[in-house]
Amino acid sequence: MKNVLVTGGAGFIGSNFVHHMLKNHDYNIINIDSLTYAGNLDNLKDVENDSRYTFLKVDIRDREAITEIFEKYDIDTVVNFAAESHVDRSITDPEIFLTTNVIGTQTLLDVAKKFWKVNPDDKYSTEYKEGVKYLQVSTDEVYGALGKTGMFMETTPLSPNSPYSASKASADMVVRAYHETFGMPVNITRCSNNYGPYQFPEKLIPLMINNCKSGKQLPVYGDGMQIRDWLHVSDHCNAIDTVLHKGVIGEIYNIGGNNEKANIEIVKLIIKTLGKDESLIKYVKDRPGHDRRYAIDNTKITTQLGWAPKYTFEQGIAETIQWYLENEEWMDKITSGDYMKYYDNMYKKA
Ligand code: NAD
Ligand code: TYD
């Protein structure tokens, strides 16, 4: 039985991944999360009494706490989701992105190295215990922006444009260095934009569903023609599971579902599904440094590891809209209090 440390498991993708792992494997899952504004234990209510699941409120930058966890739970696998994840917030307040996303990653790697090396005191030894692995959950945003054509491959040079993507690219570089220098058994996954249940409503799809439902304006940045490559979160979780079990040590895997959509298309689809009027759309000032287009070439993971997405975008978005409509209480709890302060501040000049 594996002992898997999932970090950031109270967030959007992390909580979906905890559900996925408990459903598909008989592993112990130790979820650590510092519960920032984005961490929500309501996402995990249905598993909190599962004897294979433990939650601990811990910051990934807290070396002492991480060390205790490795000791107590005999951790053999780390899947690092914990991060500051919102581009707009990284424009307002970049520093926390660097400390959490970069220093937090390095802290996890460092503690894992200490526990997993066969001879931890020999700095030249690259021998690790059998079956250990560190998986860094990264993003396609590290590659920067594409023009009208082309796709991101694992070999595409990193060219991040926002403080968020710069911090994720930096973390990837640290993970790479721990592999090259210390021989750490690592993988990096770089996924496109996710959608699905439990996503914090500062991100495009849940924000638009929530606003549309209550007849509020739908703030579309710039001309709305920016393109993202959308993947259902459960396909992302499946891909991470695949890389965890089959990924070749030291390799990077791009994850994407070949679902390129312009933002405005998605907004109009949500309006149509909810039976509202396009007059709700409000074109607002563009995000500074806004990446125009992302597209993932997923050839490596599909041909080498046999992963493929199960959801079509049409099915995934229909289910997702339905989920947010059926989970009003979940949304209402988040969108009271601090969220409104964020929202008013973010969109007041729009
Ligand atoms: P999220 O913001 O919903 O969740 C992040 C979680 O990390 C939250 O629960 C938060 O409380 C926790 N956290 C933040 N700082 C922490 C710290 N210092 N210590 C411990 N926990 C901390 O983000 P998400 O959308 O679920 O993204 C998860 C990961 O996947 C991130 O690393 C992100 O870069 C990556 N990713 C996201 C997407 C996407 O479309 N959302 C796409 C590709 C990759
Ligand atoms: P977002 O969900 O923040 O993800 P990312 O910036 O990581 O791709 O945004 C997705 C796209 O939607 C992006 O091009 C910005 C755009 N967007 C809007 O047009 N209006 C909004 O209110 C938000 C939050 C995003």
Side-chain angles (χ1 to χ4, degrees), residues 11-13 33-34 36 39 59-60 81 85 100 138 164 168 194:
F12 164 46
I13 308 174
D33 195 300
S34 63
T36 67
D59 192 305
I60 56 166
F81 292 94
S85 70
T100 282
S138 187
Y164 162 66
K168 293 295 289 185
N194 284 213

Side-chain angles (χ1 to χ4, degrees), residues 21 61 101 124 262:
M21 291 301 274
R61 294 165 293 183
N101 300 2
Y124 297 108

Side-chain angles (χ1 to χ4, degrees), residues 306-319:
W307 170 85
K310 293 194 175 120
Y311 272 95
T312 61
F313 184 74
E314 290 64 32
Q315 182 197 354
I317 194 75
E319 274 184 31

